[in-house]
Amino acid sequence: MQFDRCESQCIHEEAVAAVSGKMLSGEEAQSLADTFKTLADPNRVKIIFSLMHQELCVCDLAAVIGASDSAVSHQLRMLRNQKLVKFRREGKILYYSLADEHIDTLLKQGLKHISHSKEWAARFLEFI
Amino acid sequence: MQFDRCESQCIHEEAVAAVSGKMLSGEEAQSLADTFKTLADPNRVKIIFSLMHQELCVCDLAAVIGASDSAVSHQLRMLRNQKLVKFRREGKILYYSLADEHIDTLLKQGLKHISHSKEWAARFLEFI
DNA sequence: TGTTCATATGAGCACTTGTTCATGTATTTA
DNA sequence: TAAATACATGAACAAGTGCTCATATGAACA
C-alpha cells in the first residue's frame, strides 16, 4: 500500500498491513465519530438520560436540564438528525422520546466505562 | 425545586419533578460527555479500531490511519487521559493497546446504532 | 382572521478542537 | 559521551461547537 507516505522508520510492516486491510474508510470512521459526537455534550447527555425515563416535551426538557427552550431545540435537531430521538405531535406540543433501545445501551456502556474510576456511575447502572 | 427559573408555560409538572429527581448532576453529565467526546473524532475512532485488532506503536498507528506521528501522539494523550488505552515500553518503542474490554463494546454499540441506516456497519459487526 | 403559545431556525459570537511546526525528553547505540 | 531514534509537548491558527437573541413557523382558539 502507501507505506512510502509514512515519515517514520520504525514500522512493523506485517502489523501495519494486517490492520490496514481491516481499517474503516474515512467516511465510515466519520460516521462512527458523528454518532459519539452526538453524545459528547453534557446537555445532550441529560436530554437522552431524561428520555430514558419517559417522553417529554421541549419545555419540560428545558426545565429538567436547566437550559433555554431555544438551546434545547437546537440540541434536539442534532439528536433528530443522528436518529437518536423521535417525536410525536399533539396539538402544539411535540413529545420527544428515544428512537430505539440501542441508544439506551450506548449510554449505559458509557456509564460502565466511567464506573471504573467514578463510584457514582455504578449507582446509576443499578436503577436504569 | 426551581420551577420558577423556567421560562415556559407548558410544563407537565409531575413529569418534570419525576425526571428531575433522577437527573445526573452537571459534573456527572460532563464526565459522560467527556467519555463520548473521546470517541468523537474519526482519527481517534481509527486508533481504537486498530487497537481492537492488535497492539501497535505510535508510528504504526500513524501509518495505519494516515496521520502524522505528532497528531497521533496528541490523540493518544487524550485517549490515555480518558483511560481508553494503555501502553508498555520496549526500548524506545511504546506499544499501545486498549485499556479494557468495555471500550471494545462501546465502539461496537456505536456501530450497532449506525447499522440502522448504513449497511457497511453490519459487516464490521460480524468480523470484530 | 388575528392572537397566542410551543417549537424551530438563522445570525453572530465566545469558546473549543485538531492539526502543524518547532522543540524537548528518554532510550539505545556508536 | 555524542548522535540517532521514538515519542511527547507547547504555541499558534483554522475550523467547528453551543449558546443567546431575534425572528419565523405552525397549530389552537377567540
Side-chain angles (χ1 to χ4, degrees):
Chain A
M1 325 293 177
Q2 64 278 34
F3 291 160
D4 37 37
R5 288 207 301 163
C6 178
E7 59 197 24
S8 307
Q9 271 75 15
C10 75
I11 295 185
H12 305 77
E13 294 202 18
E14 341 73 52
V16 170
V19 176
S20 293
K22 304 170 186 167
M23 183 49 57
L24 298 161
S25 74
E27 201 182 346
E28 289 160 351
Q30 185 68 61
S31 289
L32 247 181
D34 287 342
T35 295
F36 290 112
K37 193 179 297 185
T38 310
L39 289 169
D41 172 83
N43 278 346
R44 287 195 295 274
V45 164
K46 285 184 176 182
I47 289 174
I48 297 296
F49 190 80
S50 300
L51 299 181
M52 283 170 69
H53 294 96
Q54 62 175 99
E55 68 171 9
L56 291 167
C57 74
V58 175
C59 58
D60 286 346
L61 283 168
V64 167
I65 77 178
S68 71
D69 288 3
S70 178
V72 170
S73 189
H74 277 294
Q75 302 292 25
L76 284 171
R77 175 165 48 165
M78 181 168 184
L79 294 170
R80 253 163 26 217
N81 289 343
Q82 287 296 320
K83 310 244 191 291
L84 293 198
V85 302
K86 60 185 196 301
F87 63 91
R88 65 182 178 88
R89 176 181 285 279
E90 199 167 291
K92 286 178 283 194
I93 300 177
L94 299 184
Y95 291 95
Y96 279 86
S97 54
L98 296 186
D100 60 67
E101 71 291 343
H102 290 308
I103 321 298
D104 196 280
T105 311
L106 194 54
L107 195 137
K108 283 179 188 167
Q109 199 60 35
L111 274 173
K112 201 170 286 185
H113 175 251
I114 290 183
S115 66
H116 291 188
S117 50
K118 311 258 188 184
E119 312 158 23
W120 60 263
R123 285 201 305 279
F124 281 105
L125 283 168
E126 293 172 22
F127 294 114
I128 57 177
Chain B
M1 328 285 179
Q2 64 277 34
F3 292 159
D4 38 37
R5 286 208 301 164
C6 179
E7 59 197 26
S8 307
Q9 270 75 13
C10 75
I11 295 185
H12 305 76
E13 294 203 19
E14 341 75 50
V16 170
V19 175
S20 292
K22 304 169 185 168
M23 183 49 56
L24 297 162
S25 75
E27 201 182 347
E28 290 160 351
Q30 185 67 60
S31 289
L32 247 181
D34 287 343
T35 296
F36 291 112
K37 195 178 297 184
T38 311
L39 289 169
D41 173 84
N43 278 345
R44 288 196 296 274
V45 164
K46 285 184 175 183
I47 289 174
I48 298 296
F49 191 80
S50 300
L51 298 181
M52 283 170 68
H53 294 96
Q54 63 176 99
E55 69 171 10
L56 291 167
C57 74
V58 176
C59 57
D60 286 346
L61 283 168
V64 167
I65 76 178
S68 72
D69 288 3
S70 179
V72 170
S73 189
H74 277 294
Q75 301 292 23
L76 283 171
R77 175 166 48 166
M78 182 169 184
L79 294 170
R80 254 164 23 219
N81 289 343
Q82 288 294 321
K83 310 246 190 291
L84 293 197
V85 302
K86 61 185 194 304
F87 63 91
R88 68 182 178 85
R89 176 181 287 277
E90 198 167 293
K92 287 177 283 196
I93 300 178
L94 299 185
Y95 290 94
Y96 279 85
S97 55
L98 296 185
D100 61 66
E101 70 291 344
H102 290 309
I103 321 299
D104 195 281
T105 311
L106 195 53
L107 195 136
K108 283 178 189 168
Q109 198 60 36
L111 275 174
K112 201 170 287 186
H113 174 249
I114 290 184
S115 66
H116 291 187
S117 49
K118 311 257 190 186
E119 313 158 22
W120 59 263
R123 287 201 304 280
F124 281 105
L125 283 169
E126 293 171 22
F127 293 112
I128 58 177

